[in-house]
Amino acid sequence: MRLACLALLLSVAASLALAFELEESRSYPGTGPGHLRILSTADVDVFEPIIHAFQARHAVSITYDVASSAQVMIALYDEGAEYDLAISSAMDLQTKLANDGLAQTYSSDATALLPPWAKWRDQIFAFTQEPAVLVLNAAAFEALAVPTNREGLIALLRDHPEAFDGRIGTYDVRVSGAGYLFATQDSRNTESFWRMTEVMGRLNTQLFCCSSDMIDAVASGRLLLAYNVLGSYARARLADTPGVLVVEMDDFVSVMLRTALIPQTAKAPEAAGLMIDFLANMRLRPELVAQTGLPPVVSASGEDKGVIRPIRLGPGLLVFLDRMRRDTFLRSWVSSIKQD
Amino acid sequence: MSRAGPPVSIRRRLVVQLALVAALLSVAFFFSLRVVAEGATEATQDNILAASATSIADAVYTDAGVVRVEIPYSALSMLGTVSEDRVFYRVIVNGETLTGYDDLPVPEGRRSRNQPLFATYGYRDDTFRAVVVSRALSVANQPRRVQVVVAQTRLGLAAISSRITTTATAIGVAFFLTATALSTLAAQNALSPLSRLAEAVARRGPKDLRPVTAETPTELAPLVGGLNGFIARLSAALTRSEDLIVEAAHRVRTPLATVRTQAEVMHLQMEKPHNRQALRQMIRAVDESSRSAGQLLDHAMVTLRSDQLETEEIDPGDLLRDAISRLSPTADLKDIAITLDLPQEALRVQGDPILLQNAVRNILDNAIKYSPADTEITVRLVPGPPCRLQVCDQGRGFAAEDIARLPDRFSRGTNVDDVIGSGLGLTIVRDVAQAHGGALEIGANPEGGGACVSLVLPSY
Amino acid sequence: MRFLLVEDNADLARALTGRFAVEGHVVDHATCLGDAELATRTVAYDMILLDIMLPDGDGREFLRRHRAQDDPTPVIVLTARSEVSDRVGLLDLGADDYITKPFDFAELEARARAVMRRLGGSADNKKEFAGLIFDSNAGTITTGGRSERLRNREMRLLEVFFAAPGQIFSKSHLMDRLFSFSDDVSENAIEVYVGRLRRKLGETQAHIETVRGLGYRMVKRE
């Protein structure tokens, strides 16, 4: 099941003209003129309510293409694919797009109301804040103490190697942009990151491309524990997925911002701007928040408050995109997580 | 040919000059504030850039003979703390790009060893401030030269600069306005003694020749001194000439009166026609010279007063009544009847009463003089505006060719050699009329053979 | 009439006194203000002729004091000054009239008469001859309750005859009284005025008689 998402990836009919790979593409014809093309890392199911709500107000047609954050980067950075809006949870890659001049500047009343940490250069706009959480199989943890921090997690894994061997999941950071972002932020935030990775490596940790797969695996009991899962996905699944526990660590919680930007190649930047305004005002639509499970940006929550560590937009994110730094990081990570 | 320019206001000149100085200071302040502040912000950016590049250079290491770099998180994140500027970096080892942006230019120029070198250049459609930091590295005993370039756009700098510009402009404008307002006040204040002095002098009547005693600052003392000296000299000169005129008149007129009276007495006693004739000629000569002298003096007085009219509101009817009452004894001697014709409504003219009385009396005197006995003189006030003070007689009238030149000095009609006259009477009338914005009109009397002379005055 | 002449110039004063005497007037002469004030306190004058420039002061001072004392005696100022500057001041100070030196005696007399007339005059202005009453101030002749107004020259002519009824006056003498020296008229002009006066006198007892070769005289009609 390692790299399970690759199968899904290949199953999607990608446009032949494009070298980058789409996971899914869906069209939502509108009643009016205009065509907004979105390239996004968010699943169609998650984003569809937003599209419908947006079209109820603006009659444009929308094409919604889903790709991994790495493919989004390839599409926009290397191939100059023509999209009007890029939505990604990979803040570092979005930052690189903006830094390297591939994003358009946009400002409106709605973006002006965004807290300063939720936007960068008026080019990247955050509309969700999603914590990385620990997802546990409830049944398995009836007998075990639920870990509340990373030291606790390491101790738990060390104490019960037989129980957890092969039943731990985390992002394959080589494939998943969000996973890489979380991992690098972990490495910055705690000394125990590498120890934990080594412990997880000794226990034959399974690697995943996507949060939803990990949640599925935990729910089914194939995994007892999944680390650094997108909390929004996990919470969204709690209702229809019994037997899953979601734990926010109390040493620190990385909070990722899902961001949108208008690529330089955009053909319909006005429509894209309308969508950005719509996303920036999501907090005013509780029903949409409930439908998507995406926690909207709220001004106060972006501040550093003890354990909550929002990932900051800005040039710092470029550091782990440095090819040598990434190379070093991945080599260390691979050697830790794979100890065959 | 030099021409005097328009009058210059000291106050305006003072205010303008002070305002210019204030403007100059404001501009100088504005620029120096900007230069200093922008230098400071640029230095700040440079310092952060250098720190960033240095921390990257410090993170360069060799691993099994391979040069590697692990860029510290803080190296780039520190550049994002203040502003949202774009950041580019490049690590070069012996000319080969190790990591970062291959196309990022390296600042060039002379520099002391191991000191960061800064440059500003265009890159990716933006202006960048860049730094290069060099470091020597030894790999397998081979010296390697590591260069770290860090470049950042100047958005934050521009924002700060625009804030500074706004502040500097606001302060500069505020300074300028305050300084200008203060200098206006100061000029007003400094010049108020001058205005007071000017007012004090201007308020004076034409005959007020007292020295100026208004309080004045020391700078004006020479002016006031000069003015007072001038006033004193003028006053002395006027008094002297007035005294002289009075004295001369007295000295001349009294003996003339003696001669005339004696001649009259003798004339009464003489029986022989040729003696009587001689005495009559003598008396006429006396009359002629005294009348000329009188009119010359009157003319001088009129000229003097015309320069400084002491005007007041006058009823022109009063002027006529007055002249008639003064001259009717003379007219009576020749059985000349004077009728006065005044309009119903009251009229008003603005003028110098003494000059106007003199003018009216001259006209009437002329009419009596040139009228034969047993005739009538009609004095009429014709309401205007302008109103006419008209005297019509039944005398011999004016010859048409004389009318234009009669008011000239010493010019007399061609038909009046037998009557004593100096030729100054109408000149006086004309001068008075002109001083009051009016005119002298001479014409034939439509109701008889004589003449009509009118003093035309603006009325209301 | 009795005049007070206040004049410091002795020659002029003498000449004027002589001239007044010709007309039958009495003139007292004061050479300074002090004398003048002394004179006005002791004698009642019909008229004061006042010079302005006097050795012991300004004639205007005298005028001011004179008016302050409510003295009704009329004053005519004899001035040597310019008309323009002096006139108002003199009249304001209470002069009844003024005349500029040198002057025609006839004009002075006329002005004096005008002043007297304005002030009401006195009883001795009325003279009577042969039932004809002549008021030289009012310029009227009255006989049997019937009044006739005389013109200026007629009146002056009648005055001559009334001064000495029955006396013969030559034409030249009469002309001197009637015409000024600037009037160049022939002696026959006097006949015009005599003629007019005769018409005004009409059928009264007073008659102007022509004395052939000598002149005229006023006689009572037989």
Side-chain angles (χ1 to χ4, degrees), chain C residues 75-136:
Chain C
V75 177
I76 292 180
V77 170
L78 313 177
T79 176
R81 300 180 61 151
S82 158
E83 291 226 349
V84 178
S85 59
D86 252 6
R87 177 171 186 281
V88 174
L90 289 173
L91 295 188
D92 284 350
L93 283 173
D96 295 280
D97 204 348
Y98 69 94
I99 191 161
T100 314
K101 294 179 193 172
F103 43 83
D104 188 338
F105 188 83
E107 188 186 336
L108 175 61
E109 210 177 19
R111 290 196 177 279
R113 203 192 305 278
V115 168
M116 303 284 274
R117 197 158 50 232
R118 210 161 53 233
L119 294 177
S122 53
D124 65 349
N125 284 319
K126 291 194 178 116
K127 288 173 182 161
E128 202 233 320
F129 175 76
L132 179 74
I133 300 165
F134 171 44
D135 185 339
S136 61

Side-chain angles (χ1 to χ4, degrees), chain A residues 12-95:
Chain A
V12 173
S15 166
L16 287 176
L18 301 171
F20 61 94
E21 291 165 5
L22 293 180
E23 293 168 13
E24 201 172 350
S25 180
R26 212 173 272 188
S27 285
Y28 301 89
T31 55
H35 189 195
L36 176 65
R37 289 175 308 162
I38 303 173
L39 182 59
S40 170
T41 62
D43 292 348
V44 171
D45 298 340
V46 171
F47 211 78
E48 199 158 52
I50 296 175
I51 290 174
H52 286 314
F54 181 77
Q55 281 187 322
R57 186 178 290 181
H58 308 286
V60 294
S61 300
I62 294 178
T63 301
Y64 189 78
D65 289 352
V66 182
S68 74
S69 56
Q71 290 302 318
V72 169
M73 193 64 183
I74 290 168
L76 296 176
Y77 200 89
D78 299 330
E79 297 180 6
E82 288 178 355
Y83 280 99
D84 302 313
L85 196 66
I87 295 171
S88 174
S89 51
M91 296 166 68
D92 47 358
L93 295 174
Q94 297 278 81
T95 300

Side-chain angles (χ1 to χ4, degrees), chain B residues 22 38 46 53 68 143 149 161 229 299 407 419 421 458:
Chain B
E38 287 188 0
D46 285 355
R68 300 188 66 83
V149 184
S161 165
H299 186 248
V419 184

Side-chain angles (χ1 to χ4, degrees), chain B residues 233-260:
Chain B
R233 284 198 303 280
L234 181 65
S235 174
L238 280 181
T239 312
R240 225 171 21 241
S241 35
E242 264 182 30
D243 288 353
L244 202 71
I245 290 173
V246 169
E247 186 65 25
H250 189 78
R251 291 271 170 105
V252 173
R253 283 171 179 273
T254 304
L256 278 179
T258 310
V259 169
R260 196 190 193 283

Side-chain angles (χ1 to χ4, degrees), chain A residues 190-201:
Chain A
T190 177
E191 295 297 320
S192 55
F193 172 74
W194 291 111
R195 257 190 308 131
M196 188 174 67
T197 309
E198 269 181 37
V199 170
M200 287 166 75

Side-chain angles (χ1 to χ4, degrees), chain B residues 16-39:
Chain B
V16 165
Q17 280 174 2
L18 287 175
L20 276 178
V21 170
L24 220 64
L25 284 177
S26 300
V27 171
F29 167 80
F30 172 81
F31 280 113
S32 48
L33 185 69
R34 270 198 54 167
V35 166
V36 169
E38 287 188 0

Side-chain angles (χ1 to χ4, degrees), chain A residues 20 39 69-83 86 92-103 261 263-265 318 321 323, chain B residues 86-89 100-103 123-124:
Chain A
F20 61 94
L39 182 59
S69 56
Q71 290 302 318
V72 169
M73 193 64 183
I74 290 168
L76 296 176
Y77 200 89
D78 299 330
E79 297 180 6
E82 288 178 355
Y83 280 99
D92 47 358
L93 295 174
Q94 297 278 81
T95 300
K96 188 169 173 64
L97 282 172
N99 187 66
D100 290 9
L102 295 160
L261 64 78
Q264 280 294 352
T265 54
L318 301 176
L321 294 181
R323 62 172 175 266
Chain B
R86 301 167 67 185
V87 171
F88 293 87
Y89 65 93
Y101 295 79
D102 295 345
D103 57 346
Y123 174 63
R124 296 199 183 205

Side-chain angles (χ1 to χ4, degrees), chain A residues 154-178:
Chain A
I154 290 168
L156 179 74
L157 297 180
R158 275 184 181 154
D159 292 349
H160 306 280
E162 68 296 338
F164 288 103
D165 191 16
R167 302 182 74 183
I168 306 168
T170 194
Y171 273 116
D172 185 344
V173 301
R174 293 167 298 178
V175 177
S176 165

